[in-house]
Tab-separated table of all heavy atoms in Angstrom:
chain	number	residue	atom	x	y	z
A	196	ALA	N	107.749	88.210	92.288
A	196	ALA	CA	109.142	88.290	91.852
A	196	ALA	C	109.278	87.647	90.474
A	196	ALA	O	108.421	86.859	90.043
A	196	ALA	CB	110.058	87.592	92.853
A	197	ASN	N	110.365	88.008	89.767
A	197	ASN	CA	110.676	87.360	88.496
A	197	ASN	C	111.336	86.017	88.779
A	197	ASN	O	112.436	85.966	89.340
A	197	ASN	CB	111.609	88.237	87.663
A	197	ASN	CG	110.878	89.419	87.061
A	197	ASN	OD1	109.754	89.290	86.576
A	197	ASN	ND2	111.497	90.592	87.099
A	198	VAL	N	110.649	84.947	88.422
A	198	VAL	CA	111.129	83.601	88.719
A	198	VAL	C	111.118	82.751	87.452
A	198	VAL	O	110.528	83.120	86.425
A	198	VAL	CB	110.250	82.943	89.805
A	198	VAL	CG1	110.389	83.680	91.135
A	198	VAL	CG2	108.778	82.902	89.375
A	199	LEU	N	111.775	81.601	87.547
A	199	LEU	CA	111.828	80.694	86.402
A	199	LEU	C	110.541	79.888	86.287
A	199	LEU	O	110.059	79.312	87.267
A	199	LEU	CB	113.012	79.737	86.542
A	199	LEU	CG	114.405	80.345	86.352
A	199	LEU	CD1	115.470	79.313	86.671
A	199	LEU	CD2	114.576	80.849	84.921
A	200	VAL	N	110.007	79.858	85.035
A	200	VAL	CA	108.830	79.038	84.751
A	200	VAL	C	109.113	78.200	83.501
A	200	VAL	O	110.019	78.508	82.716
A	200	VAL	CB	107.575	79.909	84.534
A	200	VAL	CG1	107.279	80.751	85.770
A	200	VAL	CG2	107.731	80.801	83.304
A	201	ALA	N	108.324	77.168	83.342
A	201	ALA	CA	108.470	76.309	82.155
A	201	ALA	C	107.902	77.022	80.932
A	201	ALA	O	106.832	77.623	80.990
A	201	ALA	CB	107.753	74.988	82.382
A	202	VAL	N	108.628	76.973	79.813
A	202	VAL	CA	108.162	77.636	78.591
A	202	VAL	C	107.153	76.787	77.823
A	202	VAL	O	106.470	77.286	76.924
A	202	VAL	CB	109.348	77.979	77.669
A	202	VAL	CG1	110.296	78.936	78.359
A	202	VAL	CG2	110.078	76.715	77.211
A	203	LYS	N	107.042	75.517	78.203
A	203	LYS	CA	106.131	74.596	77.518
A	203	LYS	C	105.871	73.418	78.448
A	203	LYS	O	106.555	73.256	79.474
A	203	LYS	CB	106.759	74.100	76.216
A	203	LYS	CG	108.100	73.389	76.433
A	203	LYS	CD	108.760	73.011	75.115
A	203	LYS	CE	110.120	72.350	75.383
A	203	LYS	NZ	110.803	72.003	74.110
A	204	PRO	N	104.895	72.583	78.134
A	204	PRO	CA	104.689	71.390	78.955
A	204	PRO	C	105.927	70.489	78.896
A	204	PRO	O	106.485	70.247	77.816
A	204	PRO	CB	103.479	70.718	78.309
A	204	PRO	CG	102.767	71.819	77.583
A	204	PRO	CD	103.847	72.735	77.106
A	205	LEU	N	106.347	70.011	80.050
A	205	LEU	CA	107.533	69.161	80.135
A	205	LEU	C	107.174	67.864	80.840
A	205	LEU	O	106.359	67.852	81.777
A	205	LEU	CB	108.660	69.881	80.890
A	205	LEU	CG	109.143	71.211	80.267
A	205	LEU	CD1	110.103	71.922	81.209
A	205	LEU	CD2	109.797	70.948	78.914
A	206	THR	N	107.797	66.779	80.400
A	206	THR	CA	107.458	65.462	80.935
A	206	THR	C	108.289	65.135	82.176
A	206	THR	O	109.309	65.770	82.469
A	206	THR	CB	107.714	64.379	79.877
A	206	THR	OG1	109.101	64.424	79.499
A	206	THR	CG2	106.864	64.618	78.641
A	207	ARG	N	107.853	64.113	82.861
A	207	ARG	CA	108.586	63.631	84.029
A	207	ARG	C	109.963	63.128	83.578
A	207	ARG	O	110.125	62.564	82.505
A	207	ARG	CB	107.794	62.504	84.680
A	207	ARG	CG	108.469	61.861	85.888
A	207	ARG	CD	107.548	60.812	86.489
A	207	ARG	NE	108.181	60.142	87.617
A	207	ARG	CZ	108.921	59.046	87.517
A	207	ARG	NH1	109.133	58.494	86.337
A	207	ARG	NH2	109.447	58.499	88.600
A	208	SER	N	110.980	63.360	84.389
A	208	SER	CA	112.372	62.950	84.165
A	208	SER	C	113.067	63.778	83.095
A	208	SER	O	114.206	63.470	82.718
A	208	SER	CB	112.460	61.460	83.817
A	208	SER	OG	111.966	60.677	84.895
A	209	HIS	N	112.380	64.826	82.595
A	209	HIS	CA	113.027	65.686	81.609
A	209	HIS	C	114.158	66.476	82.286
A	209	HIS	O	113.985	67.050	83.350
A	209	HIS	CB	112.018	66.655	81.005
A	209	HIS	CG	112.604	67.612	80.024
A	209	HIS	ND1	112.908	67.262	78.719
A	209	HIS	CD2	112.973	68.924	80.158
A	209	HIS	CE1	113.415	68.291	78.091
A	209	HIS	NE2	113.465	69.321	78.943
A	210	VAL	N	115.335	66.476	81.639
A	210	VAL	CA	116.478	67.223	82.154
A	210	VAL	C	116.401	68.640	81.596
A	210	VAL	O	116.363	68.849	80.386
A	210	VAL	CB	117.811	66.550	81.769
A	210	VAL	CG1	118.976	67.400	82.261
A	210	VAL	CG2	117.882	65.145	82.359
A	211	LEU	N	116.390	69.613	82.477
A	211	LEU	CA	116.134	70.994	82.097
A	211	LEU	C	117.358	71.657	81.468
A	211	LEU	O	118.490	71.499	81.949
A	211	LEU	CB	115.692	71.788	83.326
A	211	LEU	CG	114.345	71.331	83.923
A	211	LEU	CD1	114.171	71.907	85.320
A	211	LEU	CD2	113.192	71.760	83.024
A	212	THR	N	117.094	72.423	80.401
A	212	THR	CA	118.125	73.208	79.724
A	212	THR	C	117.660	74.667	79.685
A	212	THR	O	116.490	74.961	79.959
A	212	THR	CB	118.339	72.701	78.286
A	212	THR	OG1	117.159	73.035	77.506
A	212	THR	CG2	118.561	71.196	78.262
A	213	PRO	N	118.543	75.613	79.316
A	213	PRO	CA	118.120	77.022	79.237
A	213	PRO	C	116.970	77.262	78.274
A	213	PRO	O	116.236	78.251	78.422
A	213	PRO	CB	119.392	77.737	78.758
A	213	PRO	CG	120.515	76.889	79.284
A	213	PRO	CD	120.004	75.475	79.165
A	214	LEU	N	116.790	76.371	77.284
A	214	LEU	CA	115.688	76.533	76.337
A	214	LEU	C	114.338	76.147	76.923
A	214	LEU	O	113.294	76.439	76.330
A	214	LEU	CB	115.958	75.690	75.081
A	214	LEU	CG	117.216	76.070	74.285
A	214	LEU	CD1	117.386	75.120	73.096
A	214	LEU	CD2	117.113	77.510	73.806
A	215	ASP	N	114.337	75.485	78.094
A	215	ASP	CA	113.081	75.018	78.700
A	215	ASP	C	112.471	76.038	79.657
A	215	ASP	O	111.345	75.849	80.131
A	215	ASP	CB	113.334	73.723	79.487
A	215	ASP	CG	113.812	72.591	78.588
A	215	ASP	OD1	113.277	72.475	77.469
A	215	ASP	OD2	114.716	71.834	79.017
A	216	VAL	N	113.210	77.114	79.953
A	216	VAL	CA	112.734	78.021	81.005
A	216	VAL	C	112.774	79.472	80.539
A	216	VAL	O	113.461	79.817	79.577
A	216	VAL	CB	113.591	77.868	82.288
A	216	VAL	CG1	113.477	76.455	82.848
A	216	VAL	CG2	115.050	78.218	82.025
A	217	ARG	N	112.014	80.315	81.274
A	217	ARG	CA	112.062	81.765	81.070
A	217	ARG	C	111.722	82.437	82.400
A	217	ARG	O	111.168	81.817	83.303
A	217	ARG	CB	111.070	82.206	79.985
A	217	ARG	CG	109.611	82.074	80.387
A	217	ARG	CD	108.690	82.774	79.394
A	217	ARG	NE	107.300	82.678	79.799
A	217	ARG	CZ	106.449	81.747	79.361
A	217	ARG	NH1	106.859	80.821	78.478
A	217	ARG	NH2	105.201	81.726	79.789
A	218	PHE	N	112.090	83.712	82.490
A	218	PHE	CA	111.739	84.490	83.682
A	218	PHE	C	110.381	85.155	83.482
A	218	PHE	O	110.073	85.699	82.427
A	218	PHE	CB	112.803	85.559	83.963
A	218	PHE	CG	114.041	85.023	84.602
A	218	PHE	CD1	115.181	84.773	83.844
A	218	PHE	CD2	114.069	84.738	85.965
A	218	PHE	CE1	116.334	84.276	84.435
A	218	PHE	CE2	115.220	84.248	86.562
A	218	PHE	CZ	116.354	84.003	85.797
A	219	GLU	N	109.597	85.125	84.537
A	219	GLU	CA	108.260	85.717	84.493
A	219	GLU	C	107.871	86.140	85.918
A	219	GLU	O	108.210	85.474	86.896
A	219	GLU	CB	107.258	84.685	83.947
A	219	GLU	CG	105.875	85.241	83.721
A	219	GLU	CD	104.957	84.213	83.062
A	219	GLU	OE1	105.400	83.527	82.108
A	219	GLU	OE2	103.805	84.078	83.529
A	220	GLU	N	107.191	87.301	86.016
A	220	GLU	CA	106.751	87.743	87.354
A	220	GLU	C	105.573	86.900	87.809
A	220	GLU	O	104.558	86.802	87.122
A	220	GLU	CB	106.362	89.225	87.353
A	220	GLU	CG	106.042	89.719	88.765
A	220	GLU	CD	105.648	91.185	88.832
A	220	GLU	OE1	104.526	91.510	88.393
A	220	GLU	OE2	106.461	91.975	89.325
A	221	LYS	N	105.731	86.309	88.982
A	221	LYS	CA	104.695	85.449	89.548
A	221	LYS	C	104.562	85.738	91.045
A	221	LYS	O	105.493	86.216	91.694
A	221	LYS	CB	105.059	83.973	89.359
A	221	LYS	CG	105.011	83.468	87.933
A	221	LYS	CD	103.589	83.142	87.536
A	221	LYS	CE	103.533	82.422	86.198
A	221	LYS	NZ	102.147	82.048	85.818
A	222	GLU	N	103.404	85.398	91.569
A	222	GLU	CA	103.244	85.495	93.025
A	222	GLU	C	103.972	84.319	93.671
A	222	GLU	O	103.792	83.163	93.287
A	222	GLU	CB	101.773	85.457	93.427
A	222	GLU	CG	101.596	85.593	94.942
A	222	GLU	CD	100.147	85.509	95.385
A	222	GLU	OE1	99.255	85.436	94.513
A	222	GLU	OE2	99.910	85.510	96.612
A	223	ILE	N	104.786	84.628	94.674
A	223	ILE	CA	105.582	83.583	95.330
A	223	ILE	C	105.381	83.617	96.853
A	223	ILE	O	106.266	83.218	97.609
A	223	ILE	CB	107.079	83.749	95.005
A	223	ILE	CG1	107.579	85.122	95.459
A	223	ILE	CG2	107.340	83.549	93.527
A	223	ILE	CD1	109.089	85.246	95.459
A	224	THR	N	104.192	84.079	97.280
A	224	THR	CA	103.943	84.258	98.715
A	224	THR	C	104.219	82.990	99.507
A	224	THR	O	104.878	83.017	100.542
A	224	THR	CB	102.497	84.719	98.951
A	224	THR	OG1	102.233	85.886	98.160
A	224	THR	CG2	102.272	85.045	100.428
A	225	CYS	N	103.718	81.881	99.038
A	225	CYS	CA	103.888	80.620	99.779
A	225	CYS	C	104.740	79.628	98.998
A	225	CYS	O	104.597	78.408	99.159
A	225	CYS	CB	102.522	80.020	100.088
A	225	CYS	SG	101.471	81.079	101.095
A	226	ILE	N	105.589	80.157	98.118
A	226	ILE	CA	106.376	79.293	97.222
A	226	ILE	C	107.862	79.588	97.412
A	226	ILE	O	108.252	80.733	97.655
A	226	ILE	CB	105.957	79.526	95.752
A	226	ILE	CG1	104.486	79.134	95.563
A	226	ILE	CG2	106.833	78.746	94.797
A	226	ILE	CD1	103.957	79.450	94.187
A	227	ASN	N	108.676	78.545	97.246
A	227	ASN	CA	110.128	78.700	97.338
A	227	ASN	C	110.735	78.397	95.964
A	227	ASN	O	111.157	77.275	95.692
A	227	ASN	CB	110.696	77.759	98.401
A	227	ASN	CG	112.173	77.989	98.643
A	227	ASN	OD1	112.700	79.054	98.347
A	227	ASN	ND2	112.849	76.982	99.164
A	228	PRO	N	110.785	79.412	95.073
A	228	PRO	CA	111.278	79.160	93.714
A	228	PRO	C	112.775	78.879	93.697
A	228	PRO	O	113.530	79.414	94.505
A	228	PRO	CB	110.948	80.456	92.972
A	228	PRO	CG	110.896	81.495	94.031
A	228	PRO	CD	110.391	80.827	95.262
A	229	ALA	N	113.187	78.065	92.755
A	229	ALA	CA	114.609	77.724	92.621
A	229	ALA	C	115.284	78.706	91.667
A	229	ALA	O	114.694	79.094	90.647
A	229	ALA	CB	114.761	76.305	92.107
A	230	PRO	N	116.522	79.131	91.947
A	230	PRO	CA	117.250	80.039	91.051
A	230	PRO	C	117.758	79.287	89.818
A	230	PRO	O	117.777	78.046	89.768
A	230	PRO	CB	118.405	80.535	91.922
A	230	PRO	CG	118.631	79.440	92.912
A	230	PRO	CD	117.286	78.838	93.174
A	231	LEU	N	118.210	80.052	88.824
A	231	LEU	CA	118.641	79.483	87.548
A	231	LEU	C	119.741	78.442	87.720
A	231	LEU	O	119.687	77.359	87.115
A	231	LEU	CB	119.120	80.606	86.624
A	231	LEU	CG	119.601	80.179	85.232
A	231	LEU	CD1	118.456	79.564	84.438
A	231	LEU	CD2	120.189	81.379	84.485
A	232	GLU	N	120.739	78.738	88.566
A	232	GLU	CA	121.857	77.802	88.717
A	232	GLU	C	121.448	76.485	89.361
A	232	GLU	O	122.144	75.477	89.224
A	232	GLU	CB	122.987	78.458	89.525
A	232	GLU	CG	122.629	78.878	90.932
A	232	GLU	CD	122.054	80.289	90.993
A	232	GLU	OE1	121.661	80.809	89.924
A	232	GLU	OE2	122.026	80.859	92.099
A	233	GLU	N	120.315	76.481	90.046
A	233	GLU	CA	119.842	75.246	90.682
A	233	GLU	C	118.895	74.457	89.781
A	233	GLU	O	118.550	73.322	90.090
A	233	GLU	CB	119.129	75.572	91.995
A	233	GLU	CG	120.022	76.149	93.071
A	233	GLU	CD	120.989	75.125	93.620
A	233	GLU	OE1	120.704	73.911	93.499
A	233	GLU	OE2	122.050	75.521	94.146
Side-chain angles (χ1 to χ4, degrees):
N197 285 318
V198 294
L199 289 174
V200 301
V202 298
K203 58 185 178 182
L205 300 172
T206 59
R207 178 177 178 270
S208 298
H209 178 78
V210 177
L211 295 165
T212 69
L214 298 178
D215 297 320
V216 298
R217 69 169 182 265
F218 282 100
E219 186 175 316
E220 186 180 73
K221 291 279 189 178
E222 181 182 355
I223 59 167
T224 306
C225 300
I226 297 175
N227 186 22
L231 180 64
E232 61 272 16
E233 294 290 337

